Amino acid sequence: MTPSRPTSGGPGSDIPPRKTAFGWNSPAVRAFAWQAVILGAVVALGAWFVWNALSALAARGIATGFGFLETPAGFDISESPIPFSPSDSYLRAYAVAVLNTVKVSVLAIVFATLLGTFVGIARLSTNWLVARCALLYVELFRNTPQLLQIVFWYVVISRLPRPRQALAPIDGVFFHNRGLNVAVPAADPLHLWMFAAFVAGCAGAWLLRRHARARGRLPRSLRTSLALVIGPPLLVWLAGGAPLAWDVPRLQGFNFRGGFVVNPEFLALMLGLSLYIAAFIAEIVRSGIQSVGRGQTEAARSLGLGRGQIYRLVVLPQALRVMVPPATNQYVSLTKNSTLGVAIGYPEIINIGNTTISQTGHTVEGIAMIMVFYLALSFAISGLMNLYNRRLGTA
Amino acid sequence: MPPAIAGTAEAGEGPPPGVRGPVAWLRRNLFSNVFDTTLTLLLGAALLAVVPKLFAWAFLDSVWTAGDPAQCRDIAGACWAVIAEKHRVILFGTYRYDQQWRGVAVIALVVVLSGASMVRRLWPWPMAAAWLVAFPTVIVLMRGGVLGLVPVPTTEWGGLPLTIILFLGSVVGGLPLAVLLALGRRSKMPVIRALCVGFIEITRGVPLLTVLFMASMMMPLFLPASWTVDQVLRATLGMALFFAAYAAEIVRGGLQAIPRGQFEAAGSLGLGYWRTTLLIVLPQALRIVLPPLVSDIIRAFKNTSVVLILGLFDLLGATSAALSDPLWTNYYAEAYLVVAAIYFAFCYAMSRYGQSLERRLNARRNF
């Protein structure tokens, strides 16, 4: 508050000593006082909350702390990417919930991006019918609640015919009220090698792109990189004797066995999340493409580029700059909306958290764990976004 | 004007032949090239296959009268009888039957006020005041206990009036808080800034459901055991806090858009912080951010449906409850479509209003 200034000018100076304005009503003092009062109030309120919670928990005989995570959960989870049984710990149940959340979110994001891009481009079509249909889609799905859509799809699936009368739109795909069964290539040790070849191909394509970009020869490398991504797994498959066995779902008793199984809860949540967010993605794609000036397209055309090349080399790189930040926001909000899966019984993080809380009474810890997951996710994504923006800024 | 020139002007007025008229329009918009024509034909065929069937399902083969669910068993069309039978539950939840006119009054009040809000001349003060008065009026109408109205506990509230109350509560309560948070985030006082940033970022970082759980499960734990806070109030509080965190970031965008000169001019007139903020900065900032704020308000309206998970019977929750009747449970599609139409009507009206606002404001921006 009171700066330590020399009380007089140095020897030989004729500047009179300056007086600092100090009074109980000076802005600095008032600011300090206000902040102290507010901080004090917040701390006191927080302490009061904690005190109340601790005494309420003590009265109910509930120990606080995360020790309960080691104890067996005692409930089963209908859908789990990793093995889980009721004798496993709460911590493992939490891990299952996190994995389920990630699984449905990632798939829904991929689907929403594809559909949204498609609808967004259709919105800009010069074909009146196409543009109108795209607009209808966007308005319908954007202006009704996300939860209503999720619940609606869930009820639609649960009222599909029973497995015996399953709908089979194409061979090997069966829609019924227990979900969806899809025929897939039967598991084969070769698949692991094909995956390795795919990863290697991707790495090769990436290196080639870097190389081509350094030489300024990007347009031609697209076909080569596609070949690099698809070729190696195909070669491995052929070299391994081209196994063609399919794992086809078969009706056994009251349900299908085999194939790739999708639960109704997962299917409904995935559809609900992705159809809703796709409407927002479509608008982002549309405004991103519109943000690229007409002159850019015209200049590219006058250089002799084709329609596809104009989109890929001129419009898209510029539109992406505008599209990526809002699209990322939509992806984050999709992931947060996946908590609505609790309404239809999808075992995501809120669902498992709820069960844990009602079984153990560890309300604070349960909610804290849910919050920590989402906060970590949000901060990680906003950090990545900042990094991306900085790269764009220097590029 | 010499006749010769007038003649050429007249000739130049009309477009060349083949530019106007329905045939030209079709050629330009549906059949301009091979690709375009293929698209039109494919999409047209798909629509022709689906739309007549939908029309028949909805209107020709459907049942409209309430009463016996058996009449819906053998029909190919929609069973709108479920709406005729259950509309009271869907619209008003478990609110007591003979008092449901109060719910009608709430809906009518909000619809009339929304209509009046479209009239530009009533903005900003008369309309803002009307909405501020409307909120307590709605609460009094629903609660009763005064003016000879029978008291109805909040546990019986439901349907569209509850959705409206949650929505109004989150906006009327959240907006002032949002402005305070936005000002706090731009404050020069580090403690206040840190508190506001912390609240905004944490609330925006977690799902709405977590905030609602905080309000519904943690709040009773954090308050002394003798204090009971009503469940509807807790849910509204959670919604308002969530809305405030998002709206605060939008308002902050508006504050940042105000040029320095405005602050300096206000300072040179001798205005202090609060008078500068209230008289100079906020009126301009809020006007700039109105369009994005409208889309956030629409989201708040859609978000009210999440209280279904807390066990409240809002419009969606009441519908789900109505469909749990085993006699009518098969006609979920009809019920959900009608509810979706109600949500759509509100959201679409608001979004059109937001778009018209945006066009008008863009035309009037002066910096």
Side-chain angles (χ1 to χ4, degrees), chain B residues 74-298:
Chain B
D74 298 319
I75 57 160
C79 180
W80 300 116
V82 65
I83 306 296
E85 180 77 19
K86 296 286 183 193
H87 69 277
R88 298 281 285 245
V89 185
I90 291 174
L91 281 179
F92 306 112
T94 50
Y95 205 78
R96 54 191 65 174
Y97 202 77
D98 57 331
Q99 296 293 317
Q100 286 180 357
W101 62 269
R102 282 149 66 172
V104 177
V106 166
I107 297 170
L109 177 69
V110 168
V111 169
V112 167
L113 268 184
S114 309
S117 300
M118 309 275 166
V119 182
R120 266 168 221 165
R121 203 185 300 163
L122 294 174
W123 277 103
W125 296 115
M127 250 12 262
W131 279 110
L132 276 180
V133 174
F135 184 52
T137 313
V138 164
I139 300 288
V140 166
L141 253 174
M142 290 294 281
R143 257 187 93 85
V146 287
L147 305 170
L149 292 169
V150 187
V152 178
T154 57
T155 45
E156 291 182 21
W157 293 11
L160 190 53
L162 179 60
T163 295
I164 288 173
I165 285 172
L166 288 166
F167 169 62
L168 286 183
S170 50
V171 175
V172 171
L175 260 186
L177 182 61
V179 171
L180 285 179
L181 282 170
L183 291 174
R185 190 163 186 171
R186 281 173 55 84
S187 162
K188 290 192 187 71
M189 304 185 206
V191 172
I192 291 181
R193 197 168 58 229
L195 284 173
C196 290
V197 170
F199 175 81
I200 292 172
E201 292 303 331
I202 288 177
T203 311
R204 281 165 52 95
V206 299
L208 169 62
L209 209 44
T210 338
V211 178
L212 288 181
F213 276 166
M214 289 279 272
S216 77
M217 287 160 85
M218 303 252 283
M219 215 166 89
L221 200 62
F222 280 157
L223 294 175
S226 55
W227 296 20
T228 50
V229 184
D230 183 86
Q231 167 132 43
V232 172
L233 183 61
R234 272 181 284 163
T236 315
L237 199 68
M239 308 263 324
L241 292 177
F242 191 75
F243 174 75
Y246 279 83
E249 285 299 274
I250 293 176
V251 174
R252 182 168 73 111
L255 294 177
Q256 276 169 345
I258 305 295
R260 272 188 80 83
Q262 299 280 329
F263 292 89
E264 285 161 3
S268 73
L269 286 176
L271 298 182
Y273 174 79
W274 284 110
R275 281 203 286 176
T276 307
T277 305
L278 285 176
L279 299 176
I280 311 289
V281 178
L282 272 182
Q284 301 185 71
L286 287 180
R287 193 176 299 153
I288 299 172
V289 298
L290 256 181
L293 213 51
V294 169
S295 38
D296 235 42
I297 287 173
I298 296 173

Side-chain angles (χ1 to χ4, degrees), chain A residues 35 52 127 142 159 336 378, chain B residues 40 191 204-205 222 302 329:
Chain A
Q35 295 186 72
N52 280 331
N127 187 313
R142 213 168 49 154
R159 299 296 153 78
K336 286 189 217 151
S378 298
Chain B
T40 305
V191 172
R204 281 165 52 95
F222 280 157
K302 288 186 289 179
T329 190

